[in-house]
Amino acid sequence: MKKLNRLANLFLWSFRMVLRSTVAGSRSLWRGIRRIPYLLSVPPRLLWRGVVAVAKSIGRSPRATYESLRSGRDWLLAKIEYLNAESKRWATLFAIARSPYKLLLQLGFTPQMAATFLFAGTAVGGGVVVNETVFAERSFTRGDSGIYNAPSDIPAFWEEKYNTLRLDLGATSVGLVEITDVSLNSYTGSALPSGQTNVIHIGGMPAVTDPAFTETFLEVGTLEADRWRCETLTITNSQVNKLIVKSMASDGMSVAPVAGTPRDRGINGGNRADDMRTQSGYYDMLKISPATSGQNGFIDHLIVSNIYSRGGGCLIDRVKAGTMIISYGVIGGDSSLATKAFTIETSVIYKSFENDGNVEVVMAVPPIVDMTQ
């Protein structure tokens, strides 16, 4: 009988230790668990008697059992309320940290300038130490807007209100120009420059009589226009040895290039200019063209990838290319297949043409990106 009573007390003690562990911590829980091997060594008949004894003990003292359960419940709820409160505090902190950026955007600063003001300074001992990059020259590599005379990384012209990324090409060839992850005229407060209708203009310039300007072409070894989101895309007045158009989705499509004999080409130049790369910029417009009368521009490999634009068309005009790849774009915005959002005109001459996986899809105008949210 004494052994049975001892076993019942052991069961009851272990059960209470598990309940109290929710309040007292993991040490009491471990002390209760260490008794488990001893319980398993007890013969099944005595073990069952112990279980029955524990049940009877709980029945005889329901208040003590309830108090133990309530303590565990209150501890758990207190932890949940604490975590909820902490979550709200962190959310408030992040909102406060974002407020200066939103304010600068609402004052008319471009996203690049807003980021420069905020992240170029470091608070020290109640004062502000301004990083050298605030006063550093503007740079194509860092994604600053301006007019760049390739292959210079420093803009020939820049001012606060000018938010176009313009690359002027001349007699010096460039091995690689790569522009990726860019938003054009698609954020709050952006607008096309006066007199412009295209958010992207890649290629040469037409002849003009007054003032006199002789027609120019952009000569490239390979041109890749990859993953563009445009309201319209027009390719015109170009000569391409190998034209590849694949996996394009457009709100109406008219693809009508003409077969011919354009030569294959690659751009050399010996000790030519350094490669030019930039990414993650916000601009009103992107323009890559030879801007000097009668002087073509030269790029061996031009990559313009992952572009999000609205409020104007995308234009590839007066390009002489060894290979032109137009792929994975989403073109359209008037929700009508009758009007052709994606057009390759008959003035485009090719020697080899691959046309694969292109579909027509009705779509609306791409939404504007609210940078103040």
Side-chain angles (χ1 to χ4, degrees):
M1 190 63 178
K2 290 182 179 180
K3 188 173 183 180
L4 182 60
N5 289 337
R6 190 187 314 158
L7 184 61
N9 290 334
L10 177 61
F11 263 99
L12 186 59
W13 185 87
S14 298
F15 179 75
R16 287 178 176 171
M17 284 299 102
V18 172
L19 291 177
R20 291 178 183 175
S21 68
T22 59
V23 179
S26 60
R27 184 176 298 178
S28 297
L29 177 62
W30 174 242
R31 291 173 60 190
I33 291 174
R34 285 192 303 176
R35 294 291 198 278
I36 292 176
Y38 174 76
L39 295 177
L40 295 177
S41 66
V42 177
R45 185 177 178 184
L46 291 177
L47 191 62
W48 174 249
R49 289 182 180 179
V51 171
V52 172
V54 169
K56 290 181 178 179
S57 175
I58 293 175
R60 285 193 297 269
S61 56
R63 180 177 179 81
T65 304
Y66 170 75
E67 290 294 336
S68 297
L69 293 173
R70 190 183 68 175
S71 297
R73 179 205 65 189
D74 293 345
W75 176 86
L76 179 62
L77 292 177
K79 292 298 181 184
I80 293 174
E81 292 174 356
Y82 171 77
L83 292 175
N84 285 336
E86 285 297 303
S87 177
K88 292 179 181 178
R89 292 189 184 100
W90 281 110
T92 302
L93 178 63
F94 289 137
I96 293 172
R98 191 174 59 177
S99 294
Y101 179 71
K102 292 168 60 177
L103 178 60
L104 289 174
L105 291 178
Q106 291 169 353
L107 289 174
F109 289 96
T110 65
Q112 288 99 320
M113 284 298 297
T116 299
F117 281 125
L118 291 176
F119 302 123
T122 304
V124 179
V128 175
V129 177
V130 181
N131 191 292
E132 295 175 356
T133 58
V134 172
F135 302 106
E137 291 181 293
R138 300 288 162 181
S139 165
F140 182 87
T141 302
R142 286 197 295 267
D144 294 315
S145 60
I147 299 176
Y148 295 84
N149 293 328
S152 176
D153 191 55
I154 307 302
F157 171 82
W158 178 89
E159 66 178 21
E160 176 59 37
K161 295 182 179 180
Y162 187 85
N163 198 40
T164 293
L165 180 62
R166 175 176 152 183
L167 181 62
D168 289 351
L169 298 155
T172 303
S173 63
V174 183
L176 171 68
V177 174
E178 184 175 11
I179 300 172
T180 59
D181 309 329
V182 165
S183 293
L184 300 172
N185 195 35
S186 58
Y187 58 90
T188 304
S190 62
L192 281 175
S194 177
Q196 299 295 328
T197 58
N198 295 308
V199 289
I200 297 178
H201 181 169
I202 294 176
M205 305 293 290
V208 178
T209 55
D210 188 17
F213 186 92
T214 302
E215 181 182 36
T216 60
F217 282 83
L218 172 60
E219 299 188 32
V220 296
T222 301
L223 189 159
E224 296 184 44
D226 173 66
R227 292 171 172 79
W228 289 13
R229 178 63 175 103
C230 302
E231 293 184 20
T232 63
L233 171 59
T234 302
I235 304 175
T236 185
N237 301 316
S238 297
Q239 303 171 24
V240 184
N241 177 265
K242 185 176 183 179
L243 176 61
I244 301 173
V245 180
K246 64 178 182 180
S247 304
M248 297 290 290
S250 60
D251 194 356
M253 181 183 306
S254 175
V255 178
V258 176
T261 58
R263 70 174 181 87
D264 196 6
R265 70 184 67 219
I267 306 302
N268 54 26
N271 187 18
R272 60 189 175 194
D274 293 336
D275 295 342
M276 302 183 70
R277 292 184 172 91
T278 191
Q279 65 176 8
S280 303
Y282 293 87
Y283 311 104
D284 297 335
M285 180 182 178
L286 170 64
K287 187 173 184 179
I288 303 173
S289 64
T292 302
S293 176
Q295 175 63 65
N296 289 351
F298 303 92
I299 302 174
D300 189 40
H301 196 174
L302 172 59
I303 301 172
V304 182
S305 177
N306 193 25
I307 306 298
Y308 186 86
S309 70
R310 72 185 308 276
C314 299
L315 176 66
I316 298 176
D317 182 20
R318 291 176 172 80
V319 172
K320 295 180 179 180
T323 301
M324 181 184 293
I325 304 172
I326 312 298
S327 60
Y328 300 103
V330 179
I331 313 299
D334 65 359
S335 302
S336 172
L337 299 181
T339 54
K340 307 305 180 182
F342 176 33
T343 303
I344 301 180
E345 297 184 348
T346 56
S347 58
V348 176
I349 313 299
Y350 69 88
K351 183 176 181 179
S352 170
F353 181 30
E354 296 181 17
N355 185 14
D356 181 49
N358 305 300
V359 297
E360 291 186 316
V361 181
V362 173
M363 65 187 74
V365 174
I368 195 167
V369 178
D370 188 353
M371 300 297 297
T372 65
Q373 296 300 313

